[in-house]
Amino acid sequence: MATSWQIDETDEFVLVRIVGNYDGMDRFAAGLEAIAAHCRTAQRWRVLIDLTDMSDPVPPRDRFLLGKQAARVWGRRIKVALLAKPADITHFFENVATNDGANVRAFGDREEARAWLKARALA
């Protein structure tokens, strides 16, 4: 099953659901760009990306490259919480992205992710 991306808005944040198999760097890099474009158009700066319905994790090399890309296209302005299966969380994407200037954190618990997004301070 190819990956499907769905971008919606809630009262609290932009919600991105990614479902299916990981289908490569190009598709995911385009998805990061689409999220940034949506945020700019909607003037919404908090995003929850739900990866819990992905059937396979993103490979380590791609996590590195996508982390670099996320920092470039999201910058510090867009605050992004990644929600993933706890077993899939390595913090590698998060570390690369934040080291390059993004405002990203990975979570295994939806309520923790929501609370972090709702916090006023960028962290």
Side-chain angles (χ1 to χ4, degrees):
M1 168 206 280
T3 304
S4 74
W5 291 64
Q6 180 181 352
I7 301 176
D8 295 308
E9 292 186 37
T10 71
D11 292 338
E12 300 173 310
F13 44 76
V14 174
L15 175 62
V16 180
R17 289 186 185 100
I18 304 173
V19 178
N21 296 325
Y22 176 69
D23 55 4
M25 269 292 302
D26 292 339
R27 174 97 161 129
F28 271 66
L32 301 181
E33 296 269 355
I35 291 167
H38 184 93
C39 288
R40 284 190 300 273
T41 300
Q43 295 292 294
R44 304 283 303 270
W45 308 112
R46 297 173 196 279
V47 178
L48 175 66
I49 300 176
D50 186 342
L51 303 163
T52 57
D53 288 326
M54 282 191 61
S55 53
D56 54 328
V58 177
R61 177 185 174 275
D62 291 4
R63 288 181 194 215
F64 174 80
L65 295 171
L66 289 167
K68 294 282 195 184
Q69 176 75 5
R72 277 193 301 277
V73 299
W74 295 343
R76 186 110 181 111
R77 176 96 193 248
I78 301 173
K79 187 175 185 180
V80 179
L82 302 169
L83 179 63
K85 298 171 199 162
D88 291 341
I89 297 174
T90 66
H91 298 284
F92 189 39
F93 171 89
E94 173 187 343
N95 291 335
V96 171
T98 57
N99 287 342
D100 279 12
N103 191 14
V104 178
R105 188 173 289 172
F107 296 90
D109 179 83
R110 181 177 298 275
E111 290 309 311
E112 286 180 24
R114 289 180 70 228
W116 181 76
L117 280 174
K118 290 166 68 174
R120 289 282 185 240
L122 295 177

